[in-house]
Amino acid sequence: MQRIQTFLSRYPLVALVAITAIIGVALELTGNNDAARWFVSGVAGFIAVLQFKGMVDTLRDGSFGIDILAVTAIASTIAVGEYWAALVVCLMLTGGEALEDYAENRAGAELTSLLEGAPTVAYRQGASGIEEIDIDAVQVGDRLVVRPHETIPVDSQLISESALVDESQLTGESLPVEHHEGDSLMSGAMNGSSTIEVVAEATAANSQYQRIVSLVNEARESKAPFVRLADRVAVPFTLVAFLIAGTAWALSGDPMRFAQVLVVATPCPLIIAAPVAFMAGMSRAARSGLIVKNAGTIEQISKVQSVAFDKTGTLTRGEPEIHVVDSELAESEILRLAASAELYSSHPLGEAIVAAAGRDVPQPEESKDIPAQGVDAVVEGRHVKVGKYGFVTGTDEPAPHVMEAGRSSIYVSVDGELAGRFEMSDPIRPETPASLDAVHAIGITNTVILTGDSQETAERVAADLGIDTVRAGLLPQDKVNAITDVKPGPVMMVGDGVNDAPVLAASDVGVAMGARGSAAAVESADVVIMLDDLTRIPRLLLVGQRTMRIAWQAIAIGVGFSVVLMLIGATGVMPAFVGAWMQELVDLACILWALLAARPSKEEKQLSAHFADTQAAVPDSVIV
């Protein structure tokens, strides 16, 4: 019942047409044909008036749309007494608009999740102690306390000796960043396992996290509105219809010829073909774990020439893991001891060590986190330290190992002796190489990395994957500016973090890795990948291309058949009543053809088989 009420409130004209049809049929069954004709004609005329108003508004805006032909078709069918044909035109018109509206809103949402994730309170250090205040009450210069694993409320300066901060949602850097006294911290970053003190450098409204919300809204509002396919075909189709109808009237001298032509010149094929194809394509995408939020996105996807990617969590896993173990002890033994020491640590690198060790991890007798240094523990009677080189060795000497970009070392000592080290990195997703090869094979001419990570790390990843362009060290506003420079367009952007939300909204097509991506990215994107699988990107491109082909083909079929019927109607051999039914067959043909977009294309089947055969290995080629 609730769904029915929602439908009636959202699409009242569709409901009006349906109710009119029921009443009209009931009147004719009871022998009240005249009442049925006047009632149905009256409702159809009312809808025509509404469409006429819309037509006038469209003309004032300097554009022409399907409304012109729709109003003419309804008026002409009423004039010749084909009131049921008029009502069918109304149903196709209002139903097609409802389909488009549903396609626009089926997965759309406001930025409520992003707003809910923003910090709402802060803890201010005052003369009487620490007090909780609303975040909007924070003033520049306030001394604030940030507790372990809480979000930094406003842009601030660190006054504690050091802090380990997770900035992955803002910069894309997957590994925690160590800051020292005097460093600036961005709002929205996550504090580590120790309480820190900061001094506010900006109010909440002027801080980084809140600027992200503003950027997303601005970017979404800047997008050009989608122009319906039907509106692009409407003017030439209307001119052809009027030309045939007028010529038939002029040559025969019979005004009925004009009506007979326009009865079969209804805009129903134009109205329903594209929305049905789009809905079918969106349904096909959804079965592949791809939620496309609006019909306009389908067309943009079909035209994409460049694809830009965030690095962390998109091309890479976004989770640190052990890459190299260099140890005097057996690999399993040093992993076991280090994992025991880190068993209760909340540090991401410690969690990676525990994950790598597996299940055989003993409980430590003692374990103590040393902020910004590491862990000091007693494991099976042995003194184990895990962390920075100077901490585990008890010296002030710098670490002897120079790390590649994007990697870091964690050292381990046992009973005061350096036992080895772990080299940590954020690995590339196993399916990434094959996915990028498929993207290039589909016809994408330019691939780009847009990341907040370092230039060295981004270039290393780009070299490994064959990505064409690298833009690194970018904050959210920088990504928005960078996406406008990417050529050729349209440009698809793929990301997953809060820092990607503005650029996803600003790009021609924004795609969020929704399974693990932030709510902000999901809400601002045009497409959400629900399966956390990068192979969905080439699938999405193929679905968009096929859907647009089917939509144009369905329109061409409808227009072609309509022109043939108009020429027949111009001869006078086909009565208006028969013409109306013939037009319904044309509509049916358009719908059936448009529904083909719900089926996978040959290219998509080949791509799926290729990924299955290679199991995400780098393909030599993908035939599409």
Side-chain angles (χ1 to χ4, degrees):
M1 181 59 70
Q2 181 64 37
R3 289 185 178 181
I4 294 176
Q5 292 176 347
T6 301
F7 179 86
L8 292 175
S9 62
R10 174 168 284 187
Y11 308 119
L13 290 182
V14 178
L16 175 61
V17 172
I19 293 171
T20 300
I22 294 172
I23 295 175
V25 170
L27 289 172
E28 289 198 345
L29 290 176
T30 57
N32 296 309
N33 292 345
D34 288 341
R37 177 168 61 86
W38 284 107
F39 177 68
V40 173
S41 298
V43 172
F46 170 72
I47 293 176
V49 170
L50 295 180
Q51 293 298 321
F52 179 79
K53 181 180 181 301
M55 179 186 72
V56 172
D57 293 338
T58 301
L59 292 173
R60 285 176 177 173
D61 292 336
S63 61
F64 300 87
I66 199 67
D67 296 334
I68 299 173
L69 190 55
V71 171
T72 307
I74 295 172
S76 63
T77 47
I78 292 175
V80 298
E82 296 292 341
Y83 51 94
W84 284 117
L87 191 65
V88 170
V89 175
C90 293
L91 178 61
M92 292 298 103
L93 180 65
T94 58
E97 291 175 347
L99 278 173
E100 287 187 325
D101 180 66
Y102 179 72
E104 290 279 341
N105 294 286
R106 74 189 294 261
E110 299 301 323
L111 295 175
T112 53
S113 297
L114 176 58
L115 296 172
E116 289 171 0
T120 58
V121 298
Y123 298 93
R124 183 166 58 191
Q125 179 76 59
S128 58
I130 299 174
E131 59 175 337
E132 180 181 312
I133 60 172
D134 188 88
I135 193 170
D136 293 327
V138 174
Q139 300 296 319
V140 176
D142 282 353
R143 187 171 180 141
L144 307 175
V145 174
V146 184
R147 298 182 297 192
H149 310 300
E150 287 190 347
T151 301
I152 296 171
V154 296
D155 291 348
S156 311
Q157 183 182 63
L158 180 65
I159 57 177
S160 296
E161 182 178 345
S162 62
L164 195 66
V165 179
D166 180 1
E167 298 177 351
S168 59
Q169 294 285 3
L170 296 171
T171 67
E173 171 55 64
S174 59
L175 302 178
V177 179
E178 184 177 353
H179 288 280
H180 300 281
E181 184 178 355
D183 288 353
S184 293
L185 305 178
M186 293 182 290
S187 66
M190 184 71 68
N191 184 29
S193 57
S194 302
T195 299
I196 61 174
E197 293 189 16
V198 299
V199 173
E201 292 186 321
T203 62
N206 295 321
S207 291
Q208 184 68 28
Y209 199 95
Q210 285 72 14
R211 280 201 297 269
I212 289 177
V213 177
S214 176
L215 284 170
V216 171
N217 282 320
E218 290 174 6
R220 294 179 76 172
E221 291 172 0
S222 69
K223 282 192 173 181
F226 171 66
V227 179
R228 294 183 304 173
L229 292 183
D231 290 339
R232 303 177 206 176
V233 184
V235 172
F237 184 68
T238 301
L239 292 176
V240 169
F242 283 144
L243 177 62
I244 295 175
T247 302
W249 185 358
L251 293 177
S252 67
D254 184 1
M256 180 60 71
R257 297 286 181 89
F258 185 85
Q260 286 174 328
V261 170
L262 290 188
V263 163
V264 295
T266 64
C268 299
L270 304 186
I271 295 169
I272 64 177
V276 170
F278 287 158
M279 288 298 297
M282 291 165 72
S283 175
R284 171 65 197 156
R287 290 198 298 273
S288 297
L290 301 161
I291 305 302
V292 181
K293 292 185 179 180
N294 57 73
T297 297
I298 290 286
E299 181 172 6
Q300 287 291 73
I301 291 170
S302 71
K303 297 178 179 179
V304 164
Q305 295 295 314
S306 298
V307 180
F309 298 89
D310 174 50
K311 181 186 75 67
T312 304
T314 302
L315 297 175
T316 67
R317 288 180 177 172
E319 297 176 348
E321 70 173 24
I322 294 176
H323 183 68
V324 174
V325 176
D326 182 11
S327 172
E328 297 296 327
L329 302 175
E331 180 177 321
S332 59
E333 178 65 8
I334 194 169
L335 267 175
R336 193 175 68 88
L337 293 174
S340 177
E342 295 277 9
L343 193 58
Y344 300 114
S345 171
S346 59
H347 195 294
L349 300 185
E351 293 174 351
I353 293 173
V354 173
R359 298 181 179 179
D360 185 23
V361 178
Q363 296 286 331
E365 286 113 60
E366 296 178 22
S367 182
K368 181 181 180 182
D369 272 337
I370 310 300
Q373 296 296 324
V375 176
D376 192 339
V378 176
V379 180
E380 297 177 337
R382 307 169 77 178
H383 186 197
V384 179
K385 284 186 175 182
V386 183
K388 292 183 177 179
Y389 181 79
F391 169 68
V392 302
T393 60
T395 68
D396 295 329
E397 297 177 6
H401 303 94
V402 179
M403 291 293 96
E404 290 183 43
R407 297 186 178 182
S408 60
S409 277
I410 303 297
Y411 294 85
V412 182
S413 67
V414 179
D415 292 331
E417 296 292 331
L418 184 63
R421 71 183 177 96
F422 303 134
E423 192 169 307
M424 318 290 284
S425 67
D426 181 10
I428 292 172
R429 290 171 178 266
E431 77 273 16
T432 297
S435 301
L436 289 173
D437 278 6
V439 165
H440 280 112
I442 286 170
I444 301 303
T445 58
N446 185 28
T447 52
V448 186
I449 286 182
L450 300 180
T451 179
D453 214 337
S454 68
Q455 185 75 25
E456 295 80 8
T457 300
E459 287 179 351
R460 178 174 61 82
V461 172
D464 290 344
L465 297 174
I467 289 178
D468 305 307
T469 308
V470 175
R471 295 287 302 275
L474 305 177
L475 291 174
Q477 178 62 65
D478 302 324
K479 287 188 176 183
V480 171
N481 295 334
I483 201 72
T484 61
D485 296 332
V486 175
K487 297 292 185 269
V491 182
M492 175 186 289
M493 175 68 197
V494 186
D496 73 318
V498 170
N499 63 312
D500 296 320
V503 71
L504 291 177
S507 58
D508 297 308
V509 179
V511 181
M513 301 291 286
R516 289 177 47 214
S518 74
V522 171
E523 295 291 356
S524 58
D526 302 299
V527 183
V528 180
I529 300 178
M530 300 305 296
L531 302 181
D532 199 27
D533 178 6
L534 208 60
T535 64
R536 304 294 154 172
I537 296 300
R539 297 174 195 268
L540 175 63
L541 293 168
L542 290 176
V543 168
Q545 292 171 4
R546 174 174 171 79
T547 300
M548 284 305 300
R549 285 199 305 269
I550 295 297
W552 278 114
Q553 289 168 2
I555 288 175
I557 289 171
V559 170
F561 280 140
S562 293
V563 170
V564 171
L565 290 176
M566 281 189 280
L567 294 174
I568 295 174
T571 65
V573 299
M574 183 171 62
F577 177 79
V578 175
W581 281 106
M582 292 298 296
Q583 185 62 49
E584 293 312 301
L585 294 178
V586 174
D587 297 342
L588 180 61
C590 290
I591 291 174
L592 292 177
W593 193 269
L595 287 174
L596 291 175
R599 299 173 58 186
S601 64
K602 178 182 68 175
E603 294 83 1
E604 188 181 348
K605 290 178 181 178
Q606 290 176 342
L607 187 66
S608 298
H610 185 85
F611 283 134
D613 291 341
T614 60
Q615 295 182 342
V618 179
D620 295 327
S621 64
V622 179
I623 301 174
V624 294

